């Protein structure tokens, strides 16, 4: 019994003395400075096929954001929004509308209403069943003769 306990203790000691694996320190230092955000971006879309025209330009330096965007409305006017935002005054936008609205006829002509034509099919003919067999009364009941062995 003591031999088993000694063996188990020796195995535990051997595993504890073995060199443990430790991950190496990373070769890079992820640097995410706590500097305030600073960016400047702009884009513009001019799609003559769909009539989609809009643009945006925005600049940010820390908590101060200034920008503008514009788009062409369905009535043909151009909406321009100039905005600023900071931690003291919040978000402030000035909306301007340029041009005069034009509400002309739609670019498409809807087709005149025409009811659907009547169905061009004929109903199937009724099924043809064969004539029923003529009635015949049932034969007289059958009475078999007794089956006795003949000696």
């Amino acid at each position: 019994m003591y031999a088993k306990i000694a063996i188990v203790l020796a195995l535990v000691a051997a595993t504890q003395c073995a060199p443990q694996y430790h991950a190496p320190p990373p070769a890079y230092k992820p640097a995410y400075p706590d500097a305030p955000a600073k960016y400047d971006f702009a884009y513009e879309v001019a799609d003559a096929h769909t009539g989609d025209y809009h643009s945006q330009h925005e600049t940010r330096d820390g908590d101060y954001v200034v920008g503008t965007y514009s788009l062409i409305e369905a009535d043909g006017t151009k909406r321009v929004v100039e905005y600023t935002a900071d931690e003291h005054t919040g978000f402030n936008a000035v909306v301007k509308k340029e041009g005069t609205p034009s509400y002309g006829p739609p670019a498409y002509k809807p087709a005149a209403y025409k009811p659907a034509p009547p169905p061009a099919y004929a109903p199937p003919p009724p099924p043809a069943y064969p004539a029923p067999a003529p009635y015949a009364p049932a034969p007289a009941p059958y009475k078999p003769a007794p089956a006795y062995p003949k000696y």
Side-chain angles (χ1 to χ4, degrees):
M1 181 69 177
Y2 291 115
K4 292 181 184 177
I5 294 174
I7 292 173
V8 169
L9 289 175
L11 287 175
V12 169
T15 57
Q16 293 299 322
C17 294
Q20 300 292 322
Y21 173 77
H22 296 287
Y28 64 92
K29 288 187 177 182
Y32 300 109
D34 291 335
K38 187 171 187 173
Y39 62 83
D40 183 21
F41 79 93
Y43 70 90
E44 185 171 348
V45 174
D47 188 358
H49 179 70
T50 61
D52 187 18
Y53 297 95
H54 61 274
S55 63
Q56 181 176 7
H57 179 262
E58 182 173 297
T59 304
R60 179 174 180 177
D61 189 5
D63 290 332
Y64 183 71
V65 179
V66 62
T68 180
Y69 68 89
S70 66
L71 59 109
I72 303 296
E73 304 250 22
D75 62 1
T77 60
K78 182 177 184 179
R79 183 193 322 167
V80 179
V81 179
E82 297 172 350
Y83 59 90
T84 60
D86 60 23
E87 62 183 13
H88 300 293
T89 59
F91 181 79
N92 296 302
V94 177
V95 181
K96 299 176 189 172
K97 205 161 195 168
E98 298 175 355
T100 56
S102 61
Y103 301 101
Y108 68 94
K109 266 214 160 187
Y113 174 74
K114 184 172 79 171
Y121 65 89
Y129 297 110
Y135 173 75
Y142 173 70
K143 294 183 180 177
Y148 298 114
K150 294 184 181 181
Y151 296 103

